[in-house]
Amino acid sequence: MPPRIVIIGGGFGGLYTARGLRHAEADITLVDRHNYHLFQPLLYQVATAALNPSDIAAPIRSIVRHQVNISVVLGDAIGIDVDAKRVQLADGMLDYDFLVVAAGATHSYFAHPEWERDAPGLKTIDDALEIRRRVLTAYEAAERESDPAKQAEWLTFVIIGAGPTGVELAGALSEIARQTMVRDFRHIKPESARVILLEGMNRVLPPYPPGLSASAKKQLESLGVEVITGAFASDVNDREVRLAGDRVIPTRTVLWAAGVQASPLAKSLGVPLDRAGRVLVEPDLTIPGHKEVFVIGDLAAVKQRDGTFVPGVAPAAIQEGQHTAYNLDRALEGQPLRAFRYRDKGSLATIGRAAAVADLGKIKLSGFLAWIAWLAIHIFFLIGFRNRFLVITQWAWAYLTYQRGARLITRDDKMSSRA
Amino acid sequence: MPPRIVIIGGGFGGLYTARGLRHAEADITLVDRHNYHLFQPLLYQVATAALNPSDIAAPIRSIVRHQVNISVVLGDAIGIDVDAKRVQLADGMLDYDFLVVAAGATHSYFAHPEWERDAPGLKTIDDALEIRRRVLTAYEAAERESDPAKQAEWLTFVIIGAGPTGVELAGALSEIARQTMVRDFRHIKPESARVILLEGMNRVLPPYPPGLSASAKKQLESLGVEVITGAFASDVNDREVRLAGDRVIPTRTVLWAAGVQASPLAKSLGVPLDRAGRVLVEPDLTIPGHKEVFVIGDLAAVKQRDGTFVPGVAPAAIQEGQHTAYNLDRALEGQPLRAFRYRDKGSLATIGRAAAVADLGKIKLSGFLAWIAWLAIHIFFLIGFRNRFLVITQWAWAYLTYQRGARLITRDDKMSSRA
C-alpha cells in the first residue's frame, strides 16, 4: 500500500503541496472545510461588489481532477494526534504516514472577541458577502433616513487596520461612494460618504518602506479616504468606534482588518507556538520531533537566517507548499529533508483604480505603473483559465463604466434563520 | 405637488410600469424588499451552478437611475389601506394617489407547509443559492459515505412538479451528474446519480400541447431523467419522498416546483381572490371600486374574453406593466382607462444543452432549434448590457467545456446562524 499523505487546507500552501506531488507514488488526501480554493488576494473585490465569488474561487476537486493520486474530502479538521498519526475530523478521522498542516489563520480581535459582531473581518467568501451586504444596506438605510445626523452615521465607513487588506478596502469603499453610487440615489449624496482608515502604528502599510507608506497615504487621500494613524480602538459597537483618548466616530459600518491569529488546530500539535498562535517550525518546515509533520503557510512561523520571520503572504505559502512537496518526494525515497529558504520577490499593495504601491527590492513603484504590475501578477496567478478570463472582462468593464456588477444584497434574514 | 404613484414590486410587472412612466409628471416610488431586479426565467441556472447571481440580477436603482421621477425604496410592504390610500411598510408607510401592486407569488405547499424545510422552492436568489448548496453538498456527502445504500440516497435527486421550472431543473441536474462532475470524484460515479421528475398530471409541461409534452419527455429521458407522471407526493421528509400508493423514493435532496401562491399582500386589498390567492381584477387591471389601484403580474387573475386566464409568465407581466403605465398616463390626463388585452406570443421551455420545446402558435419546435430560439429570446430580454454580455461568455464557455463555473458551497452553517 502506498504511503498516506494527508494535507489539511486547500489554500495556497496545501494546494501547491498537492500539485507538487503529482508524480509521487502516494495516497494523498486533501481535506478542507470548504469545497473551493479561494484566491484570497482578490477577496476584497467580492466584499466591494466588483467581482462574483466564483470569479476568485474554484472547486478544489476541479483543480486537482487530473491528479489521480489525490482524494478530496470536504471536512473540518478539529484535532491532530501526532503520536497515533491521526487527524480528527468533526465527523470522522484520517490516518496518515505524512501530514501537511496548512490550515491558515483567522481574524484576531485581541482581547475583544465581542467586537466581531459589529466589525466583521475578511477571510472567507461568506465574510465577503456579509461585508457587501452591510455596505450596500447602509446606503439604502441612509436613503430612507430623514434625520441628517443618522444619515451621516449610515454614510460613515470605518476600517480598522491599514495593512494591505485595510488599504484595499478603504480605496474600494471610497470609489463606491464617489463613482459607483453617485447617480443612483434621490435623497442622499453618496459622494458625501466618509471612509475612515484607522491604524495603530504611525503610518499605513507598516511592513513597507516609509517612502511607499507615504505615497500610499497620499493616494488614499486623493481618493477621499481619511487616514488616521496612531489610533487605537478602545471600543467598537453598532453605533460608534471609540478611540483611545475618547475621540468618538459615530458609524453603522465597521470593518476589521487589524489582526490575524493562527488556526486553533496548531494547539493540538503540542509544540511551541508564537504569540499569534503560529507553530515555530524547524528549518525544513517540520515540527520538533516529528519529521513526518509539516506546517506551512499562515499557520507556520518560519525564522529566517537574519532572525526575521517569513511574512504571511501568498507567495510565501506557495513557496512553502512547493518546497514541502519536494521534501515529501525526498522522504518517500528515503532521502533527508532540505531546509526551506524564502525568496522575497517584493511586495505589492493596491489602493484603487490605477493606484498602488510596489516594493520590488531595488525598484519601488507607485501610482499607475505599480497598479499595472499588481494587475498583471494577480491575473497571472489566478488559478484556472476560466477565472482569469472572466476577471479580465469584468474588470475591463468596471474600469470603463465605473460600475460594480455584483451589487446584490443577498442572505436576507429570513433565509439565514431558516438554514 | 405632482400626483404620487407607488409601485410595489420590482419584478417584470413593476419595473415595466415604472419605465413606461418615464415621461409622466408624477412622483413615483418603487418599493421592493430586495435591492435587485431578478431575471427569474434564468434563476434555475444559478441554482445549478452555471451562472452567478449578479449575471441575472441588477440593482433596481441602477436600472432606473436616469429616470428622475422615480425614488427607489428598499422596504417590505406588509399591508394596504385602500380607503386611506396608504401602504404599510414593515418600518414606515407610503401615501399614494395611484397604486400598482406587483408583489408576485411565492411557493405553495398546499396543505403541507412543513415540507418546505426538506423541499425548497425556487423564487429568489437566496433560494437558488440554497438549492445549489444542497445539490453540491449531496455529492460531497456521497463521496464520504461508505454504505452503498446511503450513497445512493445522496445521489438521488427528486424534483416535484414538471412545469417549466421543474423540467429545467431536472435537465440541469442530470447534466451536472453526467458531465460536470464526472471526473471529479474518486469513490463515487456521479453519472450513476438518479434525477427523478414527479408530476401529478398525466404528462410533463401540462399547459403545453400534448405533442410538445411528449417531445419534452423524450428529451428529458435522453438526458437520463426518470419521469414519473400521475404521481402525487403524500409525504416529504429529509430521507424520502412517499407517493400516493405507498411507493417510496429514498433521497436526501428534494426540490419543489409544484405550485405557487399569490403574495399575502393581496388579502389586505379586501377584494375577491381566486383559489391561488390572486386578485380578480377588472378588464383595466384595477380592483373593483378603486380605479386608482392596479394589480398586475403573478398577483393578478386576469380573465380573457374566451374565459381563460392570462398565464403567470414573464411576457404577461411585462405587457400588463406596459399597459398600466399607459393607463396611468391617461388617468393623469383625466382620460378613462382602457381594457388590457394579452397578446400570446407563444411558450418556450428549455430542457438542457441544446434541448427545448417551443409552442409559437402555428409553429411548434423541439430540440436544437427550439433551444436556439429560447437562448436568443432570453439573452435579448436580460435587462442591462453587462449582464447580457457576461451571460453569453459564461454560457459559451460552459457549452464548450461542460463546466459549471459557480460550483461553490457558500452559506455555511456558522455564518447562517451568526447572521
Side-chain angles (χ1 to χ4, degrees), chain B residues 88-390:
Chain B
Q88 184 68 44
L89 304 180
D91 54 352
M93 54 184 57
L94 293 168
D95 291 315
Y96 64 81
D97 298 303
F98 295 93
L99 177 67
V100 181
V101 190
T106 183
H107 324 293
S108 167
Y109 290 84
F110 310 117
H112 294 283
E114 74 278 11
W115 293 355
E116 183 172 11
R117 192 176 58 101
D118 298 313
L122 183 62
K123 276 284 170 195
T124 68
I125 283 183
D126 286 301
D127 291 344
L129 295 177
E130 173 63 15
I131 289 176
R132 185 178 80 180
R133 189 184 70 73
R134 291 190 187 205
V135 169
L136 297 176
T137 303
Y139 283 93
E140 298 292 338
E143 173 82 348
R144 289 197 53 192
E145 181 60 61
S146 48
D147 176 341
K150 288 185 180 164
Q151 224 172 46
E153 286 175 17
W154 282 114
L155 292 178
T156 301
F157 300 89
V158 177
I159 299 105
I160 301 180
T165 298
V167 165
E168 286 161 355
L169 279 173
L173 290 184
S174 193
E175 285 186 358
I176 286 177
R178 278 158 190 75
Q179 272 124 22
T180 314
M181 296 294 201
V182 84
R183 282 168 305 179
D184 282 10
F185 291 84
R186 300 287 176 259
H187 305 301
I188 58 167
K189 289 200 193 312
E191 62 272 34
S192 71
R194 296 173 68 195
V195 178
I196 302 171
L197 179 62
L198 300 180
E199 169 59 45
M201 302 287 112
N202 63 357
R203 56 191 174 96
V204 302
L205 297 174
Y208 286 59
L212 288 182
S213 290
S215 167
K217 180 162 186 271
K218 217 168 122 187
Q219 293 182 61
L220 282 165
E221 287 171 343
S222 79
L223 284 172
V225 175
E226 300 171 41
V227 178
I228 308 180
T229 53
F232 287 93
S234 64
D235 191 32
V236 176
N237 60 51
D238 63 347
R239 302 306 289 260
E240 65 187 27
V241 172
R242 192 173 287 270
L243 302 183
D246 264 3
R247 178 171 172 184
V248 172
I249 305 171
T251 174
R252 305 295 291 254
T253 313
V254 184
L255 308 182
W256 188 260
V260 294
Q261 187 171 4
S263 159
L265 205 53
K267 289 197 194 87
S268 67
L269 292 169
V271 293
L273 309 179
D274 74 359
R275 271 203 323 175
R278 298 181 305 170
V279 177
L280 293 156
V281 294
E282 304 282 304
D284 56 13
L285 307 178
T286 61
I287 61 173
H290 289 276
K291 286 285 170 208
E292 77 284 4
V293 179
F294 298 80
V295 180
I296 62 176
D298 288 352
L299 195 62
V302 185
K303 202 166 196 167
Q304 303 183 90
R305 291 187 195 174
D306 64 1
T308 64
F309 286 88
V310 173
V313 295
I318 290 171
Q319 289 177 30
E320 288 164 20
Q322 289 166 333
H323 185 81
T324 298
Y326 166 79
N327 263 341
L328 280 166
D329 270 337
R330 289 180 63 86
L332 293 175
E333 291 164 7
Q335 311 266 6
L337 304 182
R338 293 254 168 94
F340 170 73
R341 191 160 161 200
Y342 175 56
R343 295 171 299 285
D344 186 356
K345 293 178 180 161
S347 308
L348 279 158
T350 181
I351 295 157
R353 189 180 310 280
V357 292
D359 172 17
L360 309 170
K362 284 179 190 167
I363 304 171
K364 295 184 176 44
L365 301 172
S366 49
F368 186 68
L369 269 183
W371 189 77
I372 290 292
W374 178 88
L375 188 66
I377 289 168
H378 282 76
I379 288 174
F380 181 78
F381 272 106
L382 259 183
I383 287 172
F385 169 78
R386 177 187 171 279
N387 286 333
R388 224 175 290 168
F389 172 74
L390 271 183

Side-chain angles (χ1 to χ4, degrees), chain A residues 330-386:
Chain A
R330 289 179 63 86
L332 294 175
E333 290 164 7
Q335 310 266 6
L337 304 182
R338 292 251 168 95
F340 170 72
R341 192 162 160 198
Y342 175 56
R343 293 171 301 283
D344 185 355
K345 293 178 181 163
S347 308
L348 279 159
T350 182
I351 295 158
R353 189 179 310 279
V357 292
D359 172 18
L360 310 169
K362 285 179 190 168
I363 305 171
K364 292 181 177 46
L365 302 172
S366 49
F368 186 67
L369 269 184
W371 189 76
I372 291 292
W374 178 88
L375 188 67
I377 289 169
H378 281 76
I379 288 173
F380 181 78
F381 272 105
L382 259 184
I383 289 172
F385 168 78
R386 177 187 169 280

Side-chain angles (χ1 to χ4, degrees), chain A residues 61 65 70 140 186, chain B residues 61 65 70 140 186 403:
Chain A
R61 300 195 171 283
R65 74 194 311 179
I70 298 187
E140 298 293 339
R186 300 286 176 262
Chain B
R61 297 196 173 284
R65 74 194 310 177
I70 297 188
E140 298 292 338
R186 300 287 176 259
Q403 283 298 310

Side-chain angles (χ1 to χ4, degrees), chain A residues 266-289:
Chain A
K267 289 198 194 86
S268 67
L269 292 168
V271 293
L273 309 178
D274 74 359
R275 272 201 324 174
R278 299 181 305 169
V279 177
L280 293 157
V281 295
E282 304 282 305
D284 56 11
L285 306 178
T286 61
I287 61 173

Side-chain angles (χ1 to χ4, degrees), chain A residues 125-245:
Chain A
I125 283 183
D126 286 301
D127 291 344
L129 295 176
E130 173 63 15
I131 289 176
R132 186 179 78 181
R133 188 184 69 74
R134 291 190 187 205
V135 169
L136 298 176
T137 304
Y139 283 93
E140 298 293 339
E143 173 83 350
R144 290 198 53 193
E145 181 61 60
S146 49
D147 176 340
K150 287 185 180 164
Q151 222 172 46
E153 287 175 17
W154 282 115
L155 291 178
T156 301
F157 301 88
V158 176
I159 299 105
I160 301 180
T165 298
V167 165
E168 285 161 357
L169 279 172
L173 289 184
S174 192
E175 284 186 358
I176 286 176
R178 278 159 191 75
Q179 273 125 20
T180 314
M181 296 293 201
V182 85
R183 283 168 304 178
D184 283 11
F185 292 85
R186 300 286 176 262
H187 306 300
I188 59 167
K189 289 198 192 311
E191 61 272 33
S192 72
R194 295 174 68 197
V195 177
I196 302 172
L197 179 62
L198 300 179
E199 168 59 44
M201 304 286 113
N202 63 356
R203 57 192 174 93
V204 303
L205 297 175
Y208 286 58
L212 288 183
S213 290
S215 166
K217 179 162 186 271
K218 217 168 119 187
Q219 293 181 61
L220 282 165
E221 286 170 346
S222 79
L223 284 172
V225 176
E226 300 171 42
V227 178
I228 308 180
T229 52
F232 286 94
S234 64
D235 191 32
V236 176
N237 60 52
D238 64 346
R239 302 307 288 260
E240 65 188 25
V241 171
R242 193 172 285 270
L243 302 183

Side-chain angles (χ1 to χ4, degrees), chain A residues 35 52 54 61 65 67 70 74 91 126 140 144 184-186 385 403 407 409 411-412 415, chain B residues 35 52 54 61 65 67 70 74 91 126 140 144 184-186 397 403 407 409 411-412:
Chain A
N35 80 323
N52 274 299
S54 76
R61 300 195 171 283
R65 74 194 311 179
Q67 196 171 332
I70 298 187
L74 180 69
D91 55 352
D126 286 301
E140 298 293 339
R144 290 198 53 193
D184 283 11
F185 292 85
R186 300 286 176 262
F385 168 78
Q403 282 299 308
R407 279 167 53 197
I409 302 177
R411 306 189 138 271
D412 55 53
M415 278 301 300
Chain B
N35 80 323
N52 275 299
S54 76
R61 297 196 173 284
R65 74 194 310 177
Q67 196 170 332
I70 297 188
L74 180 69
D91 54 352
D126 286 301
E140 298 292 338
R144 289 197 53 192
D184 282 10
F185 291 84
R186 300 287 176 259
W397 183 252
Q403 283 298 310
R407 278 168 52 199
I409 302 176
R411 310 189 134 270
D412 54 52

